[in-house]
Amino acid sequence: MTITKLLVANRGEIAARIFRTCREIGIETVAVFSEADRAAKHVREADEAVCIGPAPAPESYLRGDAIIAAAKDTGADAIHPGYGFLSENAAFAEAVVAAGLIWVGPPAAAIRAMGPKDEAKRLAEEAGVPVLPGYRGEAQDIGTLKKAAAKIGYPLLIKAVAGGGGRGIRQVSKEAELEAELVSAVREAESAFGDGRVMLEKLVQQPRHIEVQVFGDAHGNVVHLFERDCSLQRRRQKVLEEAPAPDMPEDVRKAMTEASVKLARAVGYQGAGTVEFIVDGSRPLALDTFWFLEMNTRLQVEHPVTEMVTGQDLVEWQLIVASGGTLPLAQDEIELNGHAIEARICAEDPAEGFRPGAGVILEFGLLEEPDGEIIRWDTGFETGDRVPSNYDSMIAKLIVYGEDREEALERLTDTLAHTQLAGVPSNAGFLRRCALSEEFQTGTHHVNWIGENMDALTAVPPEHLEASLNAVASLVLDEAPGLSPWSIRDGFRLNAAPRRTVILAADGEAEMVEAGIPMPEDVPFPLVTDLSPRRYAVTCGGDTFLVTIPEYSADADAALGGNAVKAPMPGKVLTLTAKAGDAVTRGDTLAVLEAMKMEHALAAPRDGVIEAVHAAAGQQVAEGDLLVSLVEE
């Protein structure tokens, strides 16, 4: 079998990343896209592209029949699922093969074996892999579960059998909490996975999350490509990942990787997979401190850190294996060199409870461009692209390499300090604060650490805003045209010292700013991008601010209420009570927006007449989208 044209059944950065390897090895590419992604980066980078449905994922990226039809129509001979969506759907894998196409992934049988968490742990036990004490039985009545919980001991975790992504998990500290938490976990599991079965597991109080990259082929060869540490998590979603794991003793690495290979062999694994372990982080890594958690039967989001420390292209390995080839290297030929860390850049606002954002990216850039060897960007978006509100908020991954962990950390924090994402919210500053923390620097963080330190990590340092305003003030005051003394903006006053000040607004809040004020040494140099004559994007320490020079006629109009009703956040328009020509009074409800699981009534900003309605009920809108406009007065 030879793959000549590959369809990627995914979107965003992972689709663009797979296309990059295909270009390098001469494979033609096909992108699929929803109506929301018509102008997306991954669509632009493919040789061909096919629209497979409306914006909602169940009507597009989760439609296996439409994806297979697109492959047939374009002459693609293989399908790569990326991660998420249909990547671990055994029925889709079988449908791809039944259609005469090559499935770039593990056999459907392996996906099924590792899918249910209870079955995966049973197989792990049979393979001799250490597993935490717990209950994984078929009986799901409350009496049986209470007896099992008493035997396991508290605290414990309730986990959905069909779970993933942190869904269907509840922590129970005492028996009195068990029944209510069971009801909640079952309800969430049924909603998210269509399967309400749960299992119980002993809780590790300060857990670390370490996983091993494995690879198998159709000829019986299975290898590992060492481990990754993914312990920095928020609500069980990974935030920073690194390879290798900090302070990993060689005997523990050997035991963990051998156990992973043994499990992969037991299920006849082929392609890329990850065996995940829960680790007791309250004490140093040892042979009795790790237990099997689950196996992910796909390429992981964090695979680039493994590529950086091994020098291998895991997507190319996937394509070789799917084509029937043997693994490119034997176990003793795979080397581990240096240290790599990945940061997930998301369009979300940590200060607002990580509220996801959507809209047009006004600027996405760095002070220094990456070179691919020590700084790598895997991104699905560029300046000018629109981030839709329909999908996951991750838009890019920053991956850095160092000869050791200290060098990689320094490179990570320096790069995050000048990662500018304007137009949509960004978590870059939050990521940098995580990376600079004493716990992450020393490798003593654990899965629950972010939750225990949330306020400090999400708070934007006021000196970052001050430095950003100061940088714009200096820029504005230094741009006086010509050499005439009358054009110098130094606040000249007769018989008084010059004063270099200017009125600026940051994210809507106006204040008088004095230029040239020295900043503390630990405040990073601000990165300023001129977006328009009166508007700047400024990034300091990874925190990005939109700074404007107020225009007083516009400010006066805004004070009177303005002419526009805009979406204050991404959401779905539930109702629109206005229509063109209607007379309205200030405070009248013109639209109702559903966002953040709440309904938000949007009112008329002033008395006036509706000029136009720019949205429709049921429409998904981004933050700042114009919904209703009034006739200008």
Side-chain angles (χ1 to χ4, degrees), residues 468-469 471-479 489 501-513 528 530-538 546-555:
S468 298
L469 290 169
V472 174
S474 298
L475 181 67
V476 170
L477 293 170
D478 291 342
E479 283 183 342
R489 302 171 181 174
T501 59
V502 63
I503 296 177
L504 298 174
D507 299 332
E509 296 293 328
E511 62 179 278
M512 184 74 75
V513 179
V528 182
D530 191 346
L531 300 176
S532 67
R534 298 175 50 251
R535 198 178 190 202
Y536 302 84
V538 192
L546 285 176
V547 179
T548 58
I549 304 172
E551 183 177 58
Y552 292 104
S553 62
D555 292 345

Side-chain angles (χ1 to χ4, degrees), residues 100-122:
L101 303 168
I102 297 171
W103 167 249
V104 185
I111 297 174
R112 283 200 172 92
M114 290 291 102
K117 294 183 186 297
D118 56 346
E119 176 65 8
K121 292 194 174 183
R122 185 188 65 78

Side-chain angles (χ1 to χ4, degrees), residues 264-289:
R265 287 189 189 280
V267 295
Y269 202 81
Q270 297 173 31
T274 305
V275 180
E276 302 193 352
F277 295 92
I278 196 78
V279 178
D280 185 353
S282 65
R283 53 197 177 110
L285 282 166
L287 293 174
D288 62 346
T289 63

Side-chain angles (χ1 to χ4, degrees), residues 535-579:
R535 198 178 190 202
Y536 302 84
V538 192
T539 298
C540 181
D543 297 309
T544 296
F545 310 92
L546 285 176
V547 179
T548 58
I549 304 172
E551 183 177 58
Y552 292 104
S553 62
D555 292 345
D557 180 64
L560 293 172
N563 300 318
V565 175
K566 297 181 179 181
M569 62 188 71
K572 179 182 179 181
V573 178
L574 292 182
T575 61
L576 279 161
T577 58
K579 61 180 182 295

Side-chain angles (χ1 to χ4, degrees), residues 308 371-376 399-402 407 411:
M308 293 285 255
D371 65 5
E373 294 296 322
I374 59 173
I375 298 177
R376 165 179 161 183
I399 309 100
V400 299
Y401 176 84
E407 185 178 62
R411 192 160 285 142

